[in-house]
Short mmCIF file of all heavy atoms in Angstrom, two decimals:
data_model
loop_
_atom_site.label_atom_id
_atom_site.label_comp_id
_atom_site.label_asym_id
_atom_site.label_seq_id
_atom_site.Cartn_x
_atom_site.Cartn_y
_atom_site.Cartn_z
N MET A 27 49.70 20.51 -10.01
CA MET A 27 48.43 19.86 -9.91
C MET A 27 47.92 19.98 -8.46
O MET A 27 48.63 19.67 -7.55
CB MET A 27 48.56 18.42 -10.34
CG MET A 27 47.33 17.62 -10.22
SD MET A 27 47.41 15.96 -10.99
CE MET A 27 48.99 15.36 -10.56
N THR A 28 46.70 20.42 -8.31
CA THR A 28 46.13 20.49 -6.98
C THR A 28 45.51 19.14 -6.62
O THR A 28 45.34 18.27 -7.49
CB THR A 28 45.02 21.58 -6.91
OG1 THR A 28 43.92 21.18 -7.73
CG2 THR A 28 45.57 22.93 -7.36
N SER A 29 45.13 18.99 -5.39
CA SER A 29 44.56 17.69 -4.95
C SER A 29 43.20 17.42 -5.61
O SER A 29 42.76 16.29 -5.65
CB SER A 29 44.39 17.70 -3.45
OG SER A 29 43.54 18.74 -3.03
N GLU A 30 42.56 18.46 -6.16
CA GLU A 30 41.26 18.29 -6.82
C GLU A 30 41.39 17.93 -8.28
O GLU A 30 40.44 17.45 -8.90
CB GLU A 30 40.43 19.54 -6.67
CG GLU A 30 40.05 19.87 -5.23
CD GLU A 30 39.28 21.14 -5.10
OE1 GLU A 30 38.79 21.69 -6.11
OE2 GLU A 30 39.15 21.63 -3.97
N GLU A 31 42.55 18.18 -8.88
CA GLU A 31 42.73 17.91 -10.32
C GLU A 31 43.13 16.46 -10.54
O GLU A 31 43.91 15.90 -9.81
CB GLU A 31 43.83 18.80 -10.91
CG GLU A 31 43.52 20.25 -10.95
CD GLU A 31 44.68 21.07 -11.48
OE1 GLU A 31 45.78 20.54 -11.59
OE2 GLU A 31 44.43 22.24 -11.74
N LYS A 32 42.57 15.87 -11.57
CA LYS A 32 42.95 14.53 -11.98
C LYS A 32 44.17 14.67 -12.90
O LYS A 32 44.33 15.66 -13.60
CB LYS A 32 41.84 13.85 -12.76
CG LYS A 32 40.61 13.54 -11.94
CD LYS A 32 40.75 12.17 -11.31
CE LYS A 32 39.42 11.80 -10.66
NZ LYS A 32 39.34 10.41 -10.37
N PRO A 33 45.03 13.65 -12.91
CA PRO A 33 46.21 13.70 -13.79
C PRO A 33 45.81 13.69 -15.26
O PRO A 33 44.73 13.24 -15.63
CB PRO A 33 46.96 12.43 -13.43
CG PRO A 33 46.42 11.96 -12.11
CD PRO A 33 45.04 12.51 -12.03
N THR A 34 46.73 14.17 -16.09
CA THR A 34 46.56 14.12 -17.53
C THR A 34 47.25 12.85 -18.01
O THR A 34 48.40 12.58 -17.67
CB THR A 34 47.22 15.35 -18.20
OG1 THR A 34 46.51 16.50 -17.74
CG2 THR A 34 47.10 15.27 -19.71
N ILE A 35 46.55 12.08 -18.81
CA ILE A 35 47.06 10.81 -19.36
C ILE A 35 47.18 10.93 -20.87
O ILE A 35 46.22 11.34 -21.55
CB ILE A 35 46.11 9.62 -18.99
CG1 ILE A 35 46.01 9.51 -17.48
CG2 ILE A 35 46.62 8.33 -19.61
CD1 ILE A 35 44.97 8.52 -17.01
N LEU A 36 48.32 10.60 -21.40
CA LEU A 36 48.54 10.52 -22.85
C LEU A 36 48.50 9.06 -23.24
O LEU A 36 49.30 8.27 -22.74
CB LEU A 36 49.87 11.18 -23.23
CG LEU A 36 50.33 11.00 -24.69
CD1 LEU A 36 49.30 11.59 -25.65
CD2 LEU A 36 51.69 11.62 -24.88
N ILE A 37 47.61 8.71 -24.16
CA ILE A 37 47.49 7.35 -24.64
C ILE A 37 47.99 7.33 -26.09
O ILE A 37 47.51 8.10 -26.92
CB ILE A 37 46.04 6.85 -24.61
CG1 ILE A 37 45.47 7.00 -23.18
CG2 ILE A 37 45.93 5.40 -25.11
CD1 ILE A 37 43.97 6.83 -23.13
N VAL A 38 48.92 6.44 -26.38
CA VAL A 38 49.48 6.33 -27.73
C VAL A 38 49.29 4.91 -28.23
O VAL A 38 49.85 3.94 -27.64
CB VAL A 38 51.01 6.66 -27.73
CG1 VAL A 38 51.51 6.70 -29.16
CG2 VAL A 38 51.25 8.01 -27.04
N ASP A 39 48.51 4.77 -29.28
CA ASP A 39 48.24 3.43 -29.85
C ASP A 39 47.77 3.62 -31.30
O ASP A 39 46.99 4.54 -31.57
CB ASP A 39 47.18 2.70 -29.04
CG ASP A 39 47.17 1.20 -29.28
OD1 ASP A 39 47.29 0.78 -30.44
OD2 ASP A 39 47.04 0.44 -28.30
N ASP A 40 48.24 2.78 -32.20
CA ASP A 40 47.85 2.89 -33.58
C ASP A 40 46.59 2.09 -33.89
O ASP A 40 46.02 2.18 -34.98
CB ASP A 40 48.99 2.50 -34.52
CG ASP A 40 49.46 1.08 -34.32
OD1 ASP A 40 49.48 0.63 -33.16
OD2 ASP A 40 49.82 0.43 -35.30
N GLU A 41 46.12 1.33 -32.95
CA GLU A 41 44.88 0.53 -33.14
C GLU A 41 43.70 1.31 -32.56
O GLU A 41 43.61 1.54 -31.34
CB GLU A 41 45.02 -0.81 -32.41
CG GLU A 41 46.14 -1.70 -32.93
CD GLU A 41 45.83 -2.24 -34.31
OE1 GLU A 41 44.64 -2.44 -34.64
OE2 GLU A 41 46.79 -2.49 -35.06
N ALA A 42 42.79 1.71 -33.45
CA ALA A 42 41.65 2.54 -33.07
C ALA A 42 40.81 1.91 -31.95
O ALA A 42 40.41 2.63 -31.03
CB ALA A 42 40.81 2.87 -34.27
N PRO A 43 40.50 0.60 -31.98
CA PRO A 43 39.68 0.03 -30.89
C PRO A 43 40.34 0.19 -29.53
O PRO A 43 39.70 0.51 -28.54
CB PRO A 43 39.51 -1.42 -31.28
CG PRO A 43 39.72 -1.46 -32.76
CD PRO A 43 40.74 -0.39 -33.04
N ASN A 44 41.67 -0.07 -29.46
CA ASN A 44 42.40 0.08 -28.20
C ASN A 44 42.36 1.52 -27.73
O ASN A 44 42.11 1.79 -26.55
CB ASN A 44 43.84 -0.36 -28.35
CG ASN A 44 43.99 -1.80 -28.71
OD1 ASN A 44 43.07 -2.60 -28.57
ND2 ASN A 44 45.17 -2.15 -29.22
N LEU A 45 42.64 2.39 -28.64
CA LEU A 45 42.67 3.84 -28.30
C LEU A 45 41.30 4.31 -27.81
O LEU A 45 41.22 5.00 -26.78
CB LEU A 45 43.11 4.64 -29.54
CG LEU A 45 43.60 6.02 -29.36
CD1 LEU A 45 44.85 6.07 -28.51
CD2 LEU A 45 43.94 6.61 -30.75
N GLY A 46 40.28 3.92 -28.51
CA GLY A 46 38.93 4.34 -28.14
C GLY A 46 38.49 3.81 -26.77
O GLY A 46 37.91 4.53 -25.96
N LEU A 47 38.83 2.53 -26.49
CA LEU A 47 38.44 1.93 -25.24
C LEU A 47 39.16 2.60 -24.07
O LEU A 47 38.54 2.97 -23.06
CB LEU A 47 38.78 0.44 -25.24
CG LEU A 47 38.48 -0.32 -23.97
CD1 LEU A 47 36.99 -0.40 -23.72
CD2 LEU A 47 39.07 -1.73 -24.04
N LEU A 48 40.46 2.79 -24.19
CA LEU A 48 41.22 3.44 -23.12
C LEU A 48 40.78 4.89 -22.92
O LEU A 48 40.59 5.33 -21.80
CB LEU A 48 42.72 3.38 -23.43
CG LEU A 48 43.33 1.98 -23.32
CD1 LEU A 48 44.73 1.99 -23.94
CD2 LEU A 48 43.36 1.53 -21.88
N PHE A 49 40.61 5.61 -24.03
CA PHE A 49 40.16 7.01 -23.93
C PHE A 49 38.83 7.11 -23.18
O PHE A 49 38.69 7.90 -22.26
CB PHE A 49 40.04 7.61 -25.35
CG PHE A 49 39.44 8.98 -25.35
CD1 PHE A 49 40.21 10.07 -24.98
CD2 PHE A 49 38.10 9.16 -25.65
CE1 PHE A 49 39.65 11.36 -24.96
CE2 PHE A 49 37.53 10.43 -25.65
CZ PHE A 49 38.32 11.52 -25.30
N GLN A 50 37.88 6.32 -23.61
CA GLN A 50 36.54 6.37 -22.99
C GLN A 50 36.60 6.04 -21.51
O GLN A 50 36.00 6.75 -20.69
CB GLN A 50 35.62 5.39 -23.72
CG GLN A 50 34.18 5.49 -23.27
CD GLN A 50 33.55 6.79 -23.75
OE1 GLN A 50 33.74 7.21 -24.87
NE2 GLN A 50 32.76 7.43 -22.89
N ASN A 51 37.33 5.00 -21.14
CA ASN A 51 37.39 4.60 -19.72
C ASN A 51 38.06 5.68 -18.87
O ASN A 51 37.56 5.99 -17.77
CB ASN A 51 38.11 3.27 -19.56
CG ASN A 51 37.25 2.13 -19.99
OD1 ASN A 51 36.05 2.11 -19.76
ND2 ASN A 51 37.86 1.12 -20.60
N PHE A 52 39.17 6.22 -19.32
CA PHE A 52 39.84 7.22 -18.53
C PHE A 52 39.05 8.55 -18.48
O PHE A 52 38.98 9.20 -17.44
CB PHE A 52 41.26 7.49 -19.04
CG PHE A 52 42.23 6.41 -18.66
CD1 PHE A 52 42.85 5.68 -19.62
CD2 PHE A 52 42.52 6.16 -17.33
CE1 PHE A 52 43.75 4.65 -19.28
CE2 PHE A 52 43.41 5.17 -16.95
CZ PHE A 52 44.04 4.43 -17.95
N ARG A 53 38.46 8.91 -19.60
CA ARG A 53 37.66 10.14 -19.63
C ARG A 53 36.45 10.02 -18.71
O ARG A 53 36.11 10.91 -17.95
CB ARG A 53 37.23 10.48 -21.03
CG ARG A 53 36.64 11.89 -21.14
CD ARG A 53 36.11 12.19 -22.47
NE ARG A 53 34.97 11.29 -22.68
CZ ARG A 53 34.15 11.34 -23.70
NH1 ARG A 53 34.37 12.19 -24.67
NH2 ARG A 53 33.16 10.52 -23.83
N ASP A 54 35.79 8.84 -18.78
CA ASP A 54 34.63 8.62 -17.90
C ASP A 54 35.03 8.67 -16.41
O ASP A 54 34.19 9.03 -15.57
CB ASP A 54 33.97 7.28 -18.22
CG ASP A 54 33.24 7.29 -19.55
OD1 ASP A 54 33.08 8.38 -20.15
OD2 ASP A 54 32.83 6.18 -19.99
N ALA A 55 36.25 8.30 -16.11
CA ALA A 55 36.73 8.34 -14.72
C ALA A 55 37.18 9.74 -14.32
O ALA A 55 37.56 9.98 -13.17
CB ALA A 55 37.89 7.37 -14.55
N GLY A 56 37.08 10.70 -15.27
CA GLY A 56 37.35 12.08 -14.92
C GLY A 56 38.77 12.55 -15.22
O GLY A 56 39.13 13.68 -14.91
N TYR A 57 39.58 11.71 -15.87
CA TYR A 57 40.94 12.11 -16.19
C TYR A 57 40.98 12.97 -17.44
O TYR A 57 40.16 12.80 -18.35
CB TYR A 57 41.82 10.86 -16.45
CG TYR A 57 42.06 10.08 -15.18
CD1 TYR A 57 41.28 9.00 -14.90
CD2 TYR A 57 43.06 10.45 -14.30
CE1 TYR A 57 41.49 8.25 -13.74
CE2 TYR A 57 43.28 9.71 -13.16
CZ TYR A 57 42.49 8.61 -12.87
OH TYR A 57 42.71 7.91 -11.72
N ARG A 58 41.94 13.89 -17.47
CA ARG A 58 42.21 14.62 -18.72
C ARG A 58 42.93 13.64 -19.59
O ARG A 58 43.96 13.08 -19.19
CB ARG A 58 43.10 15.83 -18.44
CG ARG A 58 42.39 16.89 -17.65
CD ARG A 58 43.32 18.09 -17.53
NE ARG A 58 42.66 19.09 -16.76
CZ ARG A 58 43.22 19.75 -15.77
NH1 ARG A 58 44.47 19.52 -15.44
NH2 ARG A 58 42.54 20.64 -15.11
N THR A 59 42.43 13.42 -20.78
CA THR A 59 42.97 12.37 -21.62
C THR A 59 43.36 12.91 -23.00
O THR A 59 42.53 13.50 -23.67
CB THR A 59 41.94 11.24 -21.77
OG1 THR A 59 41.50 10.83 -20.50
CG2 THR A 59 42.54 10.04 -22.48
N LEU A 60 44.61 12.66 -23.37
CA LEU A 60 45.12 13.03 -24.69
C LEU A 60 45.38 11.73 -25.45
O LEU A 60 45.73 10.73 -24.84
CB LEU A 60 46.43 13.80 -24.55
CG LEU A 60 46.45 14.99 -23.61
CD1 LEU A 60 47.89 15.50 -23.44
CD2 LEU A 60 45.55 16.07 -24.11
N VAL A 61 45.21 11.77 -26.76
CA VAL A 61 45.45 10.58 -27.56
C VAL A 61 46.34 10.90 -28.76
O VAL A 61 46.36 12.04 -29.24
CB VAL A 61 44.14 9.92 -28.05
CG1 VAL A 61 43.29 9.45 -26.89
CG2 VAL A 61 43.34 10.90 -28.92
N ALA A 62 47.05 9.87 -29.19
CA ALA A 62 47.87 9.99 -30.42
C ALA A 62 47.96 8.61 -31.04
O ALA A 62 47.92 7.60 -30.35
CB ALA A 62 49.26 10.51 -30.10
N ARG A 63 48.04 8.58 -32.38
CA ARG A 63 48.12 7.31 -33.09
C ARG A 63 49.51 6.95 -33.54
O ARG A 63 49.71 5.85 -34.07
CB ARG A 63 47.17 7.34 -34.29
CG ARG A 63 45.72 7.46 -33.80
CD ARG A 63 44.76 7.17 -34.88
NE ARG A 63 44.87 5.76 -35.21
CZ ARG A 63 44.03 5.13 -35.96
NH1 ARG A 63 43.02 5.73 -36.45
NH2 ARG A 63 44.20 3.85 -36.23
N ASP A 64 50.47 7.83 -33.33
CA ASP A 64 51.88 7.54 -33.68
C ASP A 64 52.81 8.36 -32.80
O ASP A 64 52.36 9.20 -32.04
CB ASP A 64 52.12 7.82 -35.17
CG ASP A 64 51.80 9.24 -35.62
OD1 ASP A 64 51.89 10.17 -34.78
OD2 ASP A 64 51.43 9.41 -36.78
N ALA A 65 54.09 8.06 -32.91
CA ALA A 65 55.09 8.72 -32.03
C ALA A 65 55.14 10.23 -32.30
O ALA A 65 55.26 11.01 -31.35
CB ALA A 65 56.44 8.09 -32.23
N GLU A 66 55.08 10.64 -33.53
CA GLU A 66 55.11 12.06 -33.86
C GLU A 66 53.95 12.81 -33.25
O GLU A 66 54.09 13.87 -32.65
CB GLU A 66 55.13 12.26 -35.37
CG GLU A 66 55.33 13.69 -35.78
CD GLU A 66 55.42 13.87 -37.30
OE1 GLU A 66 56.04 13.01 -37.95
OE2 GLU A 66 54.85 14.86 -37.79
N GLY A 67 52.75 12.23 -33.35
CA GLY A 67 51.58 12.84 -32.75
C GLY A 67 51.68 12.88 -31.22
O GLY A 67 51.24 13.82 -30.60
N ALA A 68 52.27 11.85 -30.64
CA ALA A 68 52.46 11.81 -29.19
C ALA A 68 53.40 12.93 -28.76
O ALA A 68 53.13 13.60 -27.74
CB ALA A 68 53.02 10.46 -28.77
N MET A 69 54.46 13.17 -29.49
CA MET A 69 55.39 14.22 -29.13
C MET A 69 54.74 15.59 -29.24
O MET A 69 54.94 16.46 -28.38
CB MET A 69 56.66 14.16 -30.02
CG MET A 69 57.47 12.89 -29.79
SD MET A 69 57.98 12.68 -28.07
CE MET A 69 59.09 14.04 -27.88
N ARG A 70 53.94 15.80 -30.29
CA ARG A 70 53.22 17.09 -30.41
C ARG A 70 52.26 17.31 -29.24
O ARG A 70 52.20 18.37 -28.66
CB ARG A 70 52.46 17.13 -31.74
CG ARG A 70 53.32 17.45 -32.95
CD ARG A 70 52.45 17.82 -34.14
NE ARG A 70 51.40 16.83 -34.43
CZ ARG A 70 51.52 15.80 -35.23
NH1 ARG A 70 52.68 15.57 -35.87
NH2 ARG A 70 50.54 14.95 -35.45
N ALA A 71 51.51 16.26 -28.89
CA ALA A 71 50.55 16.36 -27.78
C ALA A 71 51.28 16.63 -26.47
O ALA A 71 50.84 17.45 -25.67
CB ALA A 71 49.73 15.08 -27.69
N ALA A 72 52.40 15.96 -26.25
CA ALA A 72 53.15 16.14 -24.99
C ALA A 72 53.74 17.53 -24.90
O ALA A 72 53.88 18.07 -23.79
CB ALA A 72 54.23 15.05 -24.91
N ARG A 73 54.11 18.10 -26.02
CA ARG A 73 54.66 19.48 -25.97
C ARG A 73 53.57 20.49 -25.67
O ARG A 73 53.80 21.47 -24.98
CB ARG A 73 55.32 19.82 -27.32
CG ARG A 73 56.67 19.16 -27.50
CD ARG A 73 57.34 19.62 -28.79
NE ARG A 73 58.44 18.73 -29.08
CZ ARG A 73 58.48 17.89 -30.10
NH1 ARG A 73 57.48 17.83 -30.95
NH2 ARG A 73 59.51 17.11 -30.30
N ARG A 74 52.38 20.29 -26.20
CA ARG A 74 51.26 21.20 -25.96
C ARG A 74 50.80 21.12 -24.50
O ARG A 74 50.55 22.14 -23.87
CB ARG A 74 50.08 20.87 -26.85
CG ARG A 74 50.20 21.38 -28.28
CD ARG A 74 48.90 21.30 -29.04
NE ARG A 74 48.27 20.01 -29.03
CZ ARG A 74 48.48 19.03 -29.91
NH1 ARG A 74 49.34 19.22 -30.92
NH2 ARG A 74 47.87 17.89 -29.83
N LYS A 75 50.67 19.92 -24.00
CA LYS A 75 50.21 19.73 -22.61
C LYS A 75 50.95 18.54 -22.04
O LYS A 75 50.58 17.39 -22.27
CB LYS A 75 48.68 19.47 -22.58
CG LYS A 75 48.12 19.05 -21.23
CD LYS A 75 48.26 20.13 -20.21
CE LYS A 75 47.56 19.76 -18.92
NZ LYS A 75 48.38 19.77 -17.75
N PRO A 76 52.06 18.77 -21.31
CA PRO A 76 52.83 17.65 -20.78
C PRO A 76 51.94 16.75 -19.89
O PRO A 76 51.30 17.24 -18.96
CB PRO A 76 53.91 18.34 -19.97
CG PRO A 76 54.04 19.69 -20.57
CD PRO A 76 52.65 20.07 -21.01
N PRO A 77 51.91 15.46 -20.20
CA PRO A 77 51.08 14.56 -19.42
C PRO A 77 51.75 14.17 -18.11
O PRO A 77 52.98 14.28 -17.98
CB PRO A 77 50.95 13.33 -20.33
CG PRO A 77 52.22 13.33 -21.12
CD PRO A 77 52.54 14.78 -21.35
N ASP A 78 50.96 13.73 -17.18
CA ASP A 78 51.48 13.19 -15.94
C ASP A 78 51.97 11.76 -16.13
O ASP A 78 52.88 11.30 -15.44
CB ASP A 78 50.45 13.26 -14.83
CG ASP A 78 50.06 14.69 -14.51
OD1 ASP A 78 50.94 15.42 -14.02
OD2 ASP A 78 48.92 15.09 -14.80
N ILE A 79 51.33 11.06 -17.08
CA ILE A 79 51.72 9.71 -17.40
C ILE A 79 51.37 9.42 -18.86
O ILE A 79 50.43 10.03 -19.41
CB ILE A 79 51.00 8.68 -16.46
CG1 ILE A 79 51.62 7.30 -16.60
CG2 ILE A 79 49.51 8.65 -16.71
CD1 ILE A 79 51.19 6.32 -15.54
N ALA A 80 52.14 8.56 -19.49
CA ALA A 80 51.88 8.17 -20.88
C ALA A 80 51.75 6.63 -20.93
O ALA A 80 52.57 5.94 -20.34
CB ALA A 80 52.97 8.65 -21.81
N LEU A 81 50.74 6.18 -21.64
CA LEU A 81 50.56 4.76 -21.90
C LEU A 81 50.91 4.55 -23.36
O LEU A 81 50.25 5.09 -24.25
CB LEU A 81 49.11 4.34 -21.64
CG LEU A 81 48.59 4.60 -20.25
CD1 LEU A 81 47.12 4.18 -20.17
CD2 LEU A 81 49.39 3.79 -19.22
N LEU A 82 52.00 3.78 -23.61
CA LEU A 82 52.50 3.64 -24.95
C LEU A 82 52.33 2.22 -25.49
O LEU A 82 52.67 1.25 -24.80
CB LEU A 82 53.99 3.97 -24.99
CG LEU A 82 54.42 5.35 -24.50
CD1 LEU A 82 55.93 5.41 -24.43
CD2 LEU A 82 53.88 6.41 -25.40
N ASP A 83 51.89 2.13 -26.71
CA ASP A 83 51.93 0.87 -27.45
C ASP A 83 53.40 0.66 -27.79
O ASP A 83 54.11 1.55 -28.19
CB ASP A 83 51.11 1.03 -28.73
CG ASP A 83 51.02 -0.24 -29.55
OD1 ASP A 83 51.68 -1.24 -29.19
OD2 ASP A 83 50.28 -0.23 -30.58
N ILE A 84 53.91 -0.55 -27.61
CA ILE A 84 55.33 -0.75 -27.87
C ILE A 84 55.67 -0.93 -29.34
O ILE A 84 56.84 -0.87 -29.72
CB ILE A 84 55.91 -1.95 -27.05
CG1 ILE A 84 55.20 -3.24 -27.37
CG2 ILE A 84 55.83 -1.65 -25.58
CD1 ILE A 84 55.86 -4.45 -26.78
N ARG A 85 54.66 -1.12 -30.17
CA ARG A 85 54.90 -1.19 -31.62
C ARG A 85 54.02 -0.19 -32.33
O ARG A 85 52.79 -0.39 -32.47
CB ARG A 85 54.58 -2.61 -32.14
CG ARG A 85 55.57 -3.60 -31.67
CD ARG A 85 55.32 -4.92 -32.32
NE ARG A 85 56.58 -5.61 -32.36
CZ ARG A 85 56.85 -6.60 -33.15
NH1 ARG A 85 55.95 -6.98 -34.03
NH2 ARG A 85 58.00 -7.20 -33.10
N LEU A 86 54.65 0.88 -32.79
CA LEU A 86 53.97 1.92 -33.53
C LEU A 86 54.46 1.91 -34.97
O LEU A 86 55.56 1.45 -35.22
CB LEU A 86 54.22 3.28 -32.87
CG LEU A 86 53.65 3.44 -31.47
CD1 LEU A 86 54.19 4.72 -30.84
CD2 LEU A 86 52.15 3.44 -31.47
N PRO A 87 53.67 2.48 -35.89
CA PRO A 87 54.11 2.46 -37.29
C PRO A 87 55.38 3.25 -37.57
O PRO A 87 56.17 2.86 -38.45
CB PRO A 87 52.92 3.02 -38.06
CG PRO A 87 52.00 3.63 -37.05
CD PRO A 87 52.37 3.08 -35.71
N ASP A 88 55.62 4.32 -36.83
CA ASP A 88 56.76 5.20 -37.12
C ASP A 88 57.94 4.98 -36.17
O ASP A 88 59.08 5.26 -36.49
CB ASP A 88 56.41 6.65 -37.16
CG ASP A 88 55.68 7.14 -35.92
OD1 ASP A 88 55.18 6.31 -35.13
OD2 ASP A 88 55.58 8.36 -35.74
N LYS A 89 57.69 4.45 -34.98
CA LYS A 89 58.73 4.15 -33.99
C LYS A 89 58.18 3.13 -33.03
O LYS A 89 57.00 3.03 -32.78
CB LYS A 89 59.12 5.41 -33.19
CG LYS A 89 59.93 6.39 -33.97
CD LYS A 89 60.48 7.46 -33.05
CE LYS A 89 61.28 8.41 -33.90
NZ LYS A 89 61.97 9.39 -33.15
N ASP A 90 59.07 2.40 -32.38
CA ASP A 90 58.65 1.51 -31.33
C ASP A 90 58.58 2.26 -30.03
O ASP A 90 59.43 3.14 -29.78
CB ASP A 90 59.61 0.31 -31.19
CG ASP A 90 59.46 -0.68 -32.37
OD1 ASP A 90 58.41 -0.65 -33.01
OD2 ASP A 90 60.36 -1.47 -32.58
N GLY A 91 57.58 1.96 -29.20
CA GLY A 91 57.38 2.66 -27.94
C GLY A 91 58.46 2.34 -26.96
O GLY A 91 58.70 3.05 -26.02
#
């Protein structure tokens, strides 16, 4: 990552309002933002584009964060 690039953030939450709010705020701030609604989707997203940081819901339908 160069000094001009913003970090990539992976947001994992099964609640659509939480996911939408976090996504919008980080995207508006210029961050590359990935989202997933479950652990399996988070793993797929992380393999495609490894995030610099992940924000995890601690209770997901398929696994706990």
Side-chain angles (χ1 to χ4, degrees):
M27 177 170 41
T28 68
S29 61
E30 295 178 13
E31 293 178 349
K32 293 271 189 164
T34 297
I35 300 172
L36 171 60
I37 305 168
V38 186
D39 198 318
D40 60 324
E41 298 289 331
N44 297 342
L45 198 60
L47 178 67
L48 290 167
F49 173 78
Q50 188 69 42
N51 284 324
F52 284 118
R53 191 185 66 174
D54 288 351
Y57 292 96
R58 292 184 180 133
T59 308
L60 309 172
V61 296
R63 295 194 67 168
D64 56 30
E66 186 177 320
M69 294 305 292
R70 281 194 309 268
R73 284 185 195 111
R74 281 192 307 270
K75 172 65 174 124
D78 296 295
I79 191 168
L81 302 177
L82 304 172
D83 183 356
I84 59 171
R85 289 187 154 200
L86 296 170
D88 53 344
K89 287 189 180 187
D90 287 340

